[in-house]
Amino acid sequence: MWKQILEIDLSSQKSRVLEEEELFHRTMGGTAAGTHLLERYCDPSIDPFDAGNPIILSIGPFSNILPVATKTVALFKSPHTGELGESHAGGRLAMALYNAGFSAIVIIGAAREPVFLNIYNDQVEFLHAGSLWGYSSSATERVLRGRDIGAGGKRSILRIGPAGERLSTYACATVDTQRHFGRLGLGAVMGSKKLKAMVIGGNRYLTVPDKKKFKKYYDSLYDTVVASGEMKKYHDLGTAGNILALNKIQGLPTRNFSQGWFEGSEQISGEVFGNDHLSRQIACAHCQCGCIHLATLREQFHKEHGFKTFQVSYDFELIYALGTNLSINDPKCILKLLHKTEKEGWDAMSVGVTLAWATDAFLGGLIGTDETDGLVLRFGDAETYLESMEKMSRHATPFYKDLEKGAAACSRIYGGEDAAICFGGNEGAGYITGENAFTDWIVGVRHSHLDGAGYSIDQALLKADMSLEDQTKKLASEAKFRMLLNSLVICLFARNIYKPEIIKEGLDLLWRPCAQDELDAFCSDTLRRKYEFKIKCGWNPNEINLPKRLTEVITTTGKVNPENIRRRAGIYWKEIGLTTRRS
């Protein structure tokens, strides 16, 4: 793997290459290396919009070399939660970083005027982006891909939409064809730095040490990805196939998590999207699965047969956030809401949960038409939600400006905390499966369903009993193991392919030999460092806040007991080795 970091200072418009052999020998890459760099570059006490907040992009020793090692990790201080910001994205970015010859890029400082970066190997151009400021995420990519600035089709383009420019705390950063650093506000951090986009490419390659041994290892992995059933469901229906599956077990969030069953699920299932709306499937660079599903959205803009046609990405989390959770049962309406979300550059889960909170607040009388500029919010009314998004994009009233800060921030202003489905300030993902899912979101480093996959433990309980203690130990064990997967930076869809013994064989070939006890210590240390950073930012692990709404809803595994959540958190901290007592 590459042992260099590219450091880019937007304030001075200078860059330099740092040799970091010891860092990558010790930390592998990805999330572990990124966490060390965050400790080095970021003062935890700073405001997330301070120029001192770094953006760190990192890849691992398997990136661009092995199948489905396709992700890039971004680390920063989150403007949405005020503590650790970490998000992962696919597309061509990992390949482009590899081709440029770096295992990490660190961006510091802030530009005085809008800029975009053109990076080719170690050459960095700071180019004026005034004409792009205000452009949608998709239009920005179109313009930049049309420019002759090197690297051809292998370039990766990372950019923000207007939401990032407005410093919406849940603005995302978009990579290539509708892949995203979706969560925790990387787009807003880029906006605060006046960084509209980055174009990354290069022509550098590394030689594999033992080609014969490598080929045998690679072929085995490749065959597992393309010929076994491990990745099949992601290729066929994609995660949208979870709509009916979760609905069947009462685990599908509906109308702001008020129930786990949606009466319109059959109309917006993965099967319906696949049969009636799917236009094509694409893959991230060096992925053989092709899980990215794009639907066609055709809209009339003039009565005399004037139409525009768009391709809109969809998956389970998007259909949940802007479908079931808003009680929308029309695929075309969901695609319209997703298209608007994509153009603005919002995190779809955050904007969907925030609109659901706003609907409950309106129906409960906490806000009225003065706040909504005359709109009557009600579940199932897609056109009004679209109008609300339009008003958010131009801050039509102070209320719409507040909506860009998320459900937790809005509930502190207008009330309705019980129905603000947030964990550590981050809006919830699409699962009402039970205590393991909710515990995962409360204690997880990213407050995400991807931290420990608690939702899958809940679902396993439908088939076999397990003690509460063993469930929580399993959650903690998975959270630690994901430190290894995310340091390599493997797509988590392939987590059942990259088993520990297979990873060790790959590390022997592409990093260095590593005993199991060393890997275990590596995972524990990486996870502990993240929690220590969060605590330094002001996060308190003793605050176990579960929205009251989630204590009332019937989940896949029944009603949730808040005392059990606290007990689970205590077991989790013990397993992680985190001391929660604070002076």
Side-chain angles (χ1 to χ4, degrees):
M1 67 179 293
W2 299 109
K3 309 292 175 57
Q4 292 84 30
I5 292 172
L6 179 62
E7 182 191 272
I8 300 171
D9 187 341
L10 292 170
S11 298
S12 65
Q13 299 211 342
K14 292 181 179 177
S15 65
R16 60 175 180 161
V17 176
L18 304 178
E19 297 294 334
E20 296 281 356
E21 184 160 356
E22 192 276 335
L23 173 72
F24 290 111
H25 179 81
R26 186 159 45 95
T27 67
M28 199 177 299
T31 197
T35 301
H36 280 255
L37 291 170
L38 191 68
E39 292 170 350
R40 183 193 300 178
Y41 281 93
C42 185
D43 174 356
S45 67
I46 63 170
D47 186 288
F49 292 142
D50 188 286
N53 189 10
I55 295 172
I56 296 158
L57 304 174
S58 58
I59 58 175
F62 291 2
S63 299
N64 201 44
I65 298 175
L66 294 179
V68 291
T70 56
K71 298 286 187 175
T72 300
V73 174
L75 282 153
F76 49 96
K77 184 172 181 181
S78 168
H80 199 49
T81 62
E83 35 113 334
L84 177 73
E86 177 172 347
S87 193
H88 302 183
R92 287 185 286 271
L93 184 55
M95 177 192 72
L97 281 169
Y98 175 92
N99 288 345
F102 300 103
S103 287
I105 290 179
V106 179
I107 299 165
I108 57 177
R112 298 178 64 179
E113 302 291 337
V115 297
F116 76 92
L117 300 175
N118 183 35
I119 302 167
Y120 190 81
N121 295 336
D122 57 0
Q123 300 301 305
V124 180
E125 291 182 281
F126 299 81
L127 300 170
H128 188 60
S131 61
L132 294 172
W133 206 249
Y135 272 31
S136 71
S137 167
S138 43
T140 301
E141 194 222 10
R142 245 186 347 263
V143 171
L144 292 178
R145 202 163 289 286
R147 290 172 60 103
D148 182 18
I149 48 179
K154 290 186 177 180
R155 291 172 295 171
S156 181
I157 299 178
L158 173 66
R159 72 279 184 187
I160 60 173
E165 299 170 12
R166 292 191 301 269
L167 306 186
S168 168
T169 59
Y170 54 81
C172 70
T174 307
V175 181
D176 303 319
T177 306
Q178 302 188 27
R179 299 295 86 201
H180 307 91
F181 290 108
R183 311 234 69 190
L184 298 174
L186 177 62
V189 178
M190 287 179 65
S192 72
K193 294 179 178 296
K194 293 282 193 294
L195 177 58
K196 180 66 178 178
M198 300 168 65
V199 183
I200 303 171
N203 62 357
R204 294 175 170 172
Y205 297 91
L206 289 168
T207 302
V208 176
D210 186 337
K211 291 183 179 177
K212 187 176 179 181
K213 196 171 179 182
F214 174 79
K215 184 177 185 309
K216 182 180 177 184
Y217 178 73
Y218 183 97
D219 288 348
S220 174
L221 275 173
Y222 179 90
D223 289 345
T224 306
V225 171
V226 302
S228 77
E230 293 292 346
M231 306 291 283
K232 188 174 185 298
K233 76 169 187 177
Y234 299 114
H235 173 76
D236 287 351
L237 292 179
T239 56
N242 290 338
I243 291 289
L244 292 184
L246 282 166
N247 197 57
K248 187 176 180 181
I249 60 172
Q250 201 141 312
L252 182 62
T254 300
R255 290 184 282 281
N256 199 25
F257 285 73
S258 63
Q259 63 185 56
W261 179 83
F262 182 46
E263 62 280 1
S265 62
E266 293 280 356
Q267 294 153 264
I268 57 170
S269 67
E271 288 79 356
V272 168
F273 271 89
N275 291 333
D276 301 340
H277 303 278
L278 177 65
S279 59
R280 64 174 176 143
Q281 291 158 264
I282 59 176
C284 299
H286 212 155
C287 174
Q288 296 74 30
C289 174
C291 73
I292 305 168
H293 289 62
L294 299 174
T296 298
L297 174 63
R298 188 169 181 248
E299 288 197 313
Q300 188 168 14
F301 65 91
H302 192 278
K303 62 182 179 180
E304 294 179 352
H305 300 95
F307 290 93
K308 288 182 181 178
T309 302
F310 306 96
Q311 290 201 321
V312 182
S313 174
Y314 69 88
D315 63 22
F316 166 71
E317 298 292 357
L318 305 186
I319 297 172
Y320 131 72
L322 294 165
T324 68
N325 207 37
L326 298 177
S327 201
I328 308 293
N329 61 3
D330 182 335
K332 187 173 179 182
C333 290
I334 294 173
L335 290 173
K336 283 183 179 180
L337 294 171
L338 289 175
H339 182 54
K340 176 63 177 173
T341 300
E342 182 70 26
K343 287 175 67 176
E344 290 296 325
W346 286 311
D347 169 22
M349 277 191 270
S350 286
V351 76
V353 171
T354 302
L355 287 172
W357 166 86
T359 308
D360 265 333
F362 188 91
L363 295 174
L366 295 174
I367 58 172
T369 51
D370 287 345
E371 284 80 11
T372 63
D373 199 24
L375 295 184
V376 175
L377 297 177
R378 54 197 169 199
F379 288 113
D381 187 348
E383 288 304 317
T384 298
Y385 286 128
L386 200 56
E387 283 189 65
S388 299
M389 287 178 162
E390 289 288 348
K391 291 178 184 292
M392 286 169 64
S393 68
R394 51 187 170 85
H395 291 174
T397 68
F399 173 71
Y400 286 108
K401 184 177 181 179
D402 290 334
L403 285 183
E404 286 209 295
K405 301 171 186 171
C410 285
S411 70
R412 288 193 291 271
I413 299 170
Y414 301 96
E417 291 90 342
D418 291 349
I421 311 301
C422 297
F423 304 85
N426 196 26
E427 287 74 15
Y431 304 90
I432 304 185
T433 53
E435 293 181 358
N436 285 292
F438 300 160
T439 302
D440 192 16
W441 297 342
I442 290 170
V443 302
V445 286
R446 294 189 277 163
H447 304 291
S448 160
H449 64 297
L450 300 174
D451 283 318
Y455 62 91
S456 68
I457 300 174
D458 286 329
Q459 292 175 69
L461 294 176
L462 297 177
K463 298 178 182 175
D465 285 339
M466 192 187 308
S467 71
L468 183 150
E469 186 169 9
D470 286 345
Q471 293 168 40
T472 312
K473 286 181 176 179
K474 187 176 176 62
L475 184 70
S477 175
E478 181 67 21
K480 284 191 264 190
F481 180 58
R482 291 189 177 206
M483 294 299 103
L484 178 58
L485 294 173
N486 294 337
S487 296
L488 291 169
V489 198
I490 293 166
C491 174
L492 291 177
F493 288 171
R495 60 189 180 274
N496 293 325
I497 292 174
Y498 280 91
K499 300 179 187 301
E501 61 274 17
I502 292 175
I503 289 175
K504 283 177 64 180
E505 189 178 349
L507 291 174
D508 283 351
L509 284 166
L510 297 170
W511 187 50
R512 62 178 172 83
C514 199
Q516 187 59 50
D517 57 350
E518 186 184 355
L519 283 180
D520 292 342
F522 167 87
C523 291
S524 295
D525 179 67
T526 303
L527 193 56
R528 178 183 54 76
R529 284 174 177 274
K530 290 177 186 292
Y531 283 116
E532 288 176 351
F533 183 84
K534 288 162 72 72
I535 290 170
K536 288 176 182 175
C537 290
W539 172 75
N540 183 356
N542 292 313
E543 290 180 359
I544 308 297
N545 295 321
L546 182 69
K548 187 180 177 187
R549 170 71 53 86
L550 299 183
T551 66
E552 299 167 342
V553 68
I554 304 297
T555 75
T556 298
T557 50
K559 288 191 76 170
V560 167
N561 182 341
E563 283 305 314
N564 281 349
I565 299 289
R566 277 186 274 278
R567 186 180 162 205
R568 288 171 188 272
I571 296 169
Y572 183 90
W573 298 135
K574 185 178 178 182
E575 287 297 304
I576 296 299
L578 186 73
T579 303
T580 59
R581 190 181 300 278
R582 305 182 76 200
S583 58

